[in-house]
Amino acid sequence: MNVYSQGVFHQMDMAIQSVINMIHTLRAEDLNVKPTPEKMSIGELLVHMSVLCEADFLIGAGASEEEMDIFYADSEPAMNSEDIIHSLTKHYTALKQGIAGLTEEQLLTHTTAYWGGTHSRYEWLLDTQAHFYHHRGQLHAMLVHVLQRDPKVQLFE
């Protein structure tokens, strides 16, 4: 794996662990809390986060919308902390292994998502990091502002 991807994963390792630590602060009933009526519950957000690393990798590899629908249907865990953590670590490992298997030339190759966005595979990796951080911030805000519980989790080095 090239040095730039290693740097991204160094930061992602901490982000993944911080989400796992936040999950450990939740009670089962917390997963059903829906801060905004038309948006995801805490559990639905965590289910989404648990598969997004591999999902974004597949999108960056050029998976079709139909292929992604099948991936989501087959991959989303049950809405409980144990299954969510297992899914999160499994799909994050798949992302790391997928990126590690790419040559530098492949990382610089541009691909187009089914909705038309075009990036290099490395840029898709950066998008995955940003996507995960975005949802991690949402999760943290839900815990602090909705559940009124500071998870006391380190978010950055």
Side-chain angles (χ1 to χ4, degrees):
M1 183 180 314
N2 79 24
V3 67
Y4 303 109
S5 297
Q6 288 174 3
V8 172
F9 284 117
H10 176 74
Q11 297 303 312
M12 285 288 292
D13 289 345
M14 182 179 183
I16 296 290
Q17 188 58 54
S18 67
V19 168
I20 291 170
N21 292 345
M22 283 190 261
I23 292 169
H24 286 306
T25 72
L26 296 171
R27 299 181 299 249
E29 59 269 20
D30 295 335
L31 298 176
N32 296 315
V33 172
K34 193 173 229 184
T36 307
E38 302 302 317
K39 298 295 181 180
M40 292 187 270
S41 69
I42 291 171
E44 290 166 335
L45 175 64
L46 285 167
V47 164
H48 172 69
M49 292 175 73
S50 78
V51 299
L52 81 77
C53 289
E54 186 172 3
D56 284 4
F57 178 78
L58 295 171
I59 290 167
S64 69
E65 185 173 9
E66 295 77 23
E67 289 169 324
M68 293 310 302
D69 288 343
I70 292 167
F71 170 80
Y72 290 122
D74 291 345
S75 300
E76 289 183 345
M79 200 185 310
N80 66 67
S81 294
E82 184 179 312
D83 286 350
I84 290 168
I85 290 170
H86 174 75
S87 178
L88 177 62
T89 56
K90 173 186 169 187
H91 294 291
Y92 179 55
T93 298
L95 170 66
K96 287 175 87 170
Q97 290 173 344
I99 293 296
L102 299 177
T103 65
E104 191 149 339
E105 181 180 334
Q106 290 170 320
L107 276 171
L108 297 175
T109 299
H110 283 74
T111 61
T112 302
Y114 63 84
W115 64 82
T118 301
H119 298 296
S120 70
R121 294 301 301 276
Y122 181 72
E123 288 171 313
W124 284 118
L125 174 60
L126 295 177
D127 277 354
T128 302
Q129 181 184 31
H131 186 186
F132 193 82
Y133 273 49
H134 163 71
H135 289 312
R136 183 180 69 156
Q138 287 180 315
L139 174 64
H140 189 267
M142 288 175 168
L143 301 183
V144 171
H145 300 294
V146 176
L147 297 182
Q148 302 291 307
R149 238 185 283 149
D150 184 349
K152 297 183 178 18
V153 170
Q154 183 178 349
L155 299 175
F156 299 98
E157 289 184 302

